[in-house]
Structure formats: structure tokens, C-alpha cells
Amino acid sequence: YRKALELQPGYDEALFNLAILQNNAQALQDSVGLIRRRIAERGESAYLLGMMALALKSSRQLAAAEATCRKLLDRHPDHIIGLVTLANCLSARGNSIESIEYCEKAVALRPEMSGIFSNVPFESNYLPGLSPKELFQRHLQWAERYEAPLLEKQFRHTPSGDPQRKLRIGYVSG
């Protein structure tokens, strides 16, 4: 993002993404202003509303972020950023039931995104009516869906039994 800003100093998206990456509260607050100006210039596109929701949520303006997500989802019910950001806002407010509902909607759209589905067993820890057995079942569902396929692809080193083999040491430079 720094290189992008060197090349194009007023690049709003790079400023916003850098602010999120650095968790820079002031820069996130500035990003909200930048996005508002862009919305005033270009209108409320799904992309700009999604960026605004993320900026508001990241700068801890949860009520405004939630309202922006709901506006976005009224117009574009399948917008993945709107669904996930709203789920995260609801989670931060302690509304685990509704947070899970939005996580499940997002997972239905993007099942390959394990990070979204992992919020379901996490949020389930805060559901008062869920028994420990039901909670464990939700964790098992996550493991079956995402962990099991990864374990199949896991590399396993099988050392040879030859004590005379040469030891090879490699160096990795970053």
C-alpha cells in the first residue's frame, strides 16, 4: 500500500487498506471522511457502502457500521462484505444469535471461506440455551467441513532408516 501511495498519493483505497492493516484509529477515522466524500461525488454504490461499513466498524463506530450494512444489504442481500461486517458488528454488541444468522448466510454464499464459518462455533459459546453437547457438535461440524480436508493434504515427512544418508541443511533468505 505504501508503494501505491508513492505512485498515487491521494489513492483512497490504499489509505484505507493501510489504515486497517496498521489498525491506525486516526487513519481509519480519516478514511471514513474520504469514503463519505467519494459517496457524495459518485453516489452510494455497493462497493463504497461496503468500504464505509468496514471503515466505520474498524474505527469502532458500531451503530453507524451496522446501519450502513443494513442499508447495503437492503439493496444487495448477497453482498459478502455487508453480511460479514454486520455479523462482526452484532458480535461486538453481544448479539450472538443474529451474528450467527448472518455468518450462516455468508457461508451459504462463500462456503470456501472457513474464517466466516469459524465464527459460528465461536459465537455459539455465548448462546445461553445451547447445551455443551450441542456446542461440541457445532465445533465438530466446523472440523468436518474445514479441518478434515486440510489434514488430507498435510505433508508428512517419512525419514529413511539409512543412518549413512547425508544430512542436508538449507537456508531460506527473506
Side-chain angles (χ1 to χ4, degrees):
Y1 298 116
R2 291 178 200 264
K3 187 67 173 175
L5 289 169
E6 283 176 26
L7 297 171
Q8 191 178 349
Y11 189 24
D12 296 346
E13 292 167 35
L15 287 168
F16 170 68
N17 289 330
L18 184 61
I20 287 180
L21 186 65
Q22 294 175 334
N23 199 22
N24 182 333
Q26 183 58 50
L28 284 166
Q29 198 67 347
D30 295 344
S31 292
V32 170
L34 291 169
I35 297 166
R36 280 197 175 114
R37 281 195 297 279
R38 187 171 286 174
I39 287 173
E41 294 166 3
R42 298 182 184 173
E44 291 181 330
S45 68
Y47 175 74
L48 288 174
L49 285 173
M51 279 184 63
M52 176 62 84
L54 276 172
L56 290 166
K57 192 246 175 231
S58 298
S59 61
R60 306 204 188 337
Q61 298 177 53
L62 297 178
E66 183 179 336
T68 303
C69 287
R70 290 189 188 280
K71 179 190 279 189
L72 172 59
L73 293 171
D74 283 344
R75 297 175 186 175
H76 306 278
D78 294 341
H79 197 278
I80 195 73
I81 291 173
L83 290 167
V84 173
T85 304
L86 182 54
N88 289 334
C89 288
L90 293 166
S91 173
R93 286 190 25 227
N95 187 344
S96 295
I97 294 171
E98 201 174 354
S99 176
I100 289 171
E101 288 174 21
Y102 282 98
C103 285
E104 288 174 341
K105 287 179 185 179
V107 167
L109 293 172
R110 300 285 297 273
E112 75 281 1
M113 295 179 72
S114 62
I116 298 170
F117 193 70
S118 67
N119 289 346
V120 173
F122 175 78
E123 285 297 324
S124 297
N125 286 302
Y126 304 104
L127 297 178
L130 204 61
S131 72
K133 185 176 182 175
E134 292 168 317
L135 177 61
F136 185 63
Q137 278 304 118
R138 288 185 181 209
H139 285 273
L140 288 177
Q141 286 173 337
W142 183 90
E144 182 180 317
R145 189 172 190 169
Y146 295 104
E147 182 186 22
L150 291 175
L151 290 175
E152 292 170 6
K153 296 176 186 174
Q154 192 175 21
F155 173 76
R156 302 215 190 274
H157 176 69
T158 52
S160 71
D162 180 12
Q164 300 301 316
R165 79 182 194 291
K166 288 185 179 181
L167 179 62
R168 295 184 183 163
I169 300 174
Y171 295 94
V172 178
S173 174

